[in-house]
Amino acid sequence: MTDDQLTDRVTDRDRRTYRIISRTGFVAAPAMFFLPLLVPMFSVGYQSWPIICMTAAFAVLVSASSFAAMASTPPDENPGKHQLWAVPVAVFALLPGAVLSSGLYLTVVSLLSQAAATAPG
């Protein structure tokens, strides 16, 4: 086996791994965002960890996008170049992610509190 064939096999294996990671990220990010909204239904009041989890979902989504881009990089280019844009974008995505996550979570907590206060019994 020549070095070129070995390099092609390694590159194909890496691209397959990037696809698996990106698909996992595209499934995990929505789960990380929406599942914590169930927490106020089973616990009383405000908790901070669901907001942290929901905010991190935005960084996971950016990372999954980066791995998807790495998987589709042409064979003659370095797939690692996508990490150069993914890291700052993921960090930047945390601010609007935190605002959206906090607002949505606090809205759910408020609505559930109001419903519990007005419930008969």
Side-chain angles (χ1 to χ4, degrees):
M1 188 177 326
T2 66
D3 287 340
D4 288 341
Q5 290 174 331
L6 182 61
T7 302
D8 288 344
R9 280 182 148 180
V10 169
T11 303
D12 288 342
R13 185 186 71 224
D14 290 345
R15 291 183 200 293
R16 191 170 36 252
T17 303
Y18 298 150
R19 279 187 203 93
I20 292 169
I21 292 170
S22 69
R23 288 178 187 148
T24 304
F26 286 131
V27 170
M32 288 174 64
F33 186 78
F34 290 111
L35 287 178
L37 292 174
L38 298 175
V39 170
M41 294 179 196
F42 301 108
S43 66
V44 178
Y46 170 82
Q47 295 182 1
S48 61
W49 71 265
I51 294 174
I52 294 168
C53 183
M54 292 169 69
T55 301
F58 286 84
V60 170
L61 189 60
V62 170
S63 180
S65 300
S66 169
F67 277 102
M70 289 169 68
S72 63
T73 302
D76 58 336
E77 292 183 23
N78 179 12
K81 70 180 181 179
H82 294 290
Q83 292 299 314
L84 295 176
W85 63 262
V87 172
V89 170
V91 170
F92 182 73
L94 291 177
L95 180 61
V99 171
L100 180 66
S101 300
S102 297
L104 185 59
Y105 183 79
L106 292 174
T107 301
V108 169
V109 168
S110 174
L111 290 172
L112 289 173
S113 297
Q114 288 176 357
T118 60

